[in-house]
Amino acid sequence: GQQLNQSPQSMFIQEGEDVSMNCTSSSIFNTWLWYKQDPGEGPVLLIALYKAGELTSNGRLTAQFGITRKDSFLNISASIPSDVGIYFCAGDPFSGGYNKLIFGAGTRLAVHP
Amino acid sequence: NAGVTQTPKFRVLKTGQSMTLLCAQDMNHEYMYWYRQDPGMGLRLIHYSVGEGTTAKGEVPDGYNVSRLKKQNFLLGLESAAPSQTSVYFCASSLTPSSTDTQYFGPGTRLTVL
């Protein structure tokens, strides 16, 4: 089946640093989504991208939909301790099906005060 | 609104036992989904429903059954649990089937099959 390659798998950074993570696919996606999962909770949507080249921000978070439609990145600026969690990318593989998202394996972020 | 709730939060089963996971949403969403989350892997879709009384297979449906007798509830059943079904299970719902519409996730059920 279709897969998303998400990298890095994990990051351990100092508070205040910027963070960048990305997802790539071998096939075209028509929607890219970025979720965050806190420990013991379900994923929560952070940013949604719907057009190639689109750049969208949500506070300190910025995400972009790649021009080729096969990749997306998420940046977090000036990280704080509450940024800790697992970040997932997800995409709609342009299947025309019912919101059947494909998820990346996640990037686990740890922030050292 | 409670959003999406899941029952139970934790469960331990022996191989061969059966159980049902309950998902409930109070947002009047038509579409509901069951995912499993395994270490090092993204969420994978087990089954989904596009409305009351309907269900469909997702990416990894084997060993699971589902029912959507009421719009607000989506049940996931394991008839004969296997250790390979040890996982964290998430339910989600959305208003429409479009990927432009947010899927809201429940807090998850951690299942261990011994």
Side-chain angles (χ1 to χ4, degrees):
Chain A
Q2 290 167 301
Q3 293 184 346
L4 292 182
N5 295 312
Q6 186 171 350
S7 64
Q9 286 187 331
S10 61
M11 303 181 74
F12 188 82
I13 62 171
Q14 292 288 125
E15 183 177 357
E17 289 185 1
D18 296 342
V19 172
S20 183
M21 58 192 78
N22 68 82
C23 268
T24 60
S25 170
S26 59
S27 55
I28 289 173
F29 279 58
N30 71 337
T31 300
W32 283 95
L33 307 169
W34 285 92
Y35 285 85
K36 183 191 178 194
Q37 184 179 20
D38 290 324
E41 301 292 332
V44 174
L45 183 66
L46 297 173
I47 293 179
L49 304 159
Y50 304 117
K51 292 189 296 187
E54 180 180 353
L55 184 71
T56 297
S57 293
N58 178 5
R60 294 178 295 105
L61 278 62
T62 301
Q64 185 160 29
F65 191 143
I67 292 292
T68 65
R69 293 178 169 262
K70 294 183 179 181
D71 62 340
S72 177
F73 72 75
L74 174 71
N75 286 342
I76 305 173
S77 63
S79 59
I80 58 178
S82 62
D83 290 334
V84 166
I86 304 175
Y87 292 80
F88 291 98
C89 61
D92 178 345
F94 209 58
S95 64
Y98 294 103
N99 208 344
K100 285 191 279 188
L101 301 176
I102 307 296
F103 284 82
T107 295
R108 187 178 296 272
L109 179 64
V111 180
H112 189 71
Chain B
N1 287 348
V4 179
T5 58
Q6 292 183 233
T7 308
K9 288 188 181 297
F10 303 94
R11 186 72 185 269
V12 179
L13 291 178
K14 295 181 179 179
T15 297
Q17 287 184 318
S18 63
M19 78 163 295
T20 300
L21 282 67
L22 171 63
C23 175
Q25 52 93 5
D26 61 1
M27 297 175 282
N28 202 33
H29 285 172
E30 288 289 342
Y31 301 85
M32 298 187 74
Y33 316 83
W34 274 108
Y35 293 90
R36 60 178 289 171
Q37 183 179 39
D38 300 299
M41 303 184 72
L43 279 75
R44 291 182 292 168
L45 184 64
I46 304 171
H47 285 280
Y48 64 99
S49 168
V50 303
E52 182 178 319
T54 72
T55 63
K57 294 180 180 180
E59 181 186 355
V60 288
D62 294 342
Y64 305 95
N65 56 75
V66 287
S67 64
R68 183 99 179 267
L69 299 179
K70 294 183 179 180
K71 185 177 182 178
Q72 63 267 35
N73 295 337
F74 195 27
L75 277 62
L76 177 71
L78 286 72
E79 289 186 350
S80 180
S84 61
Q85 294 177 305
T86 293
S87 188
V88 181
Y89 292 87
F90 288 99
C91 175
S93 71
S94 64
L95 186 61
T96 75
S98 171
S99 59
T100 61
D101 205 7
T102 301
Q103 286 191 22
Y104 294 89
F105 285 83
T109 295
R110 186 175 294 275
L111 175 67
T112 301
V113 182
L114 302 176

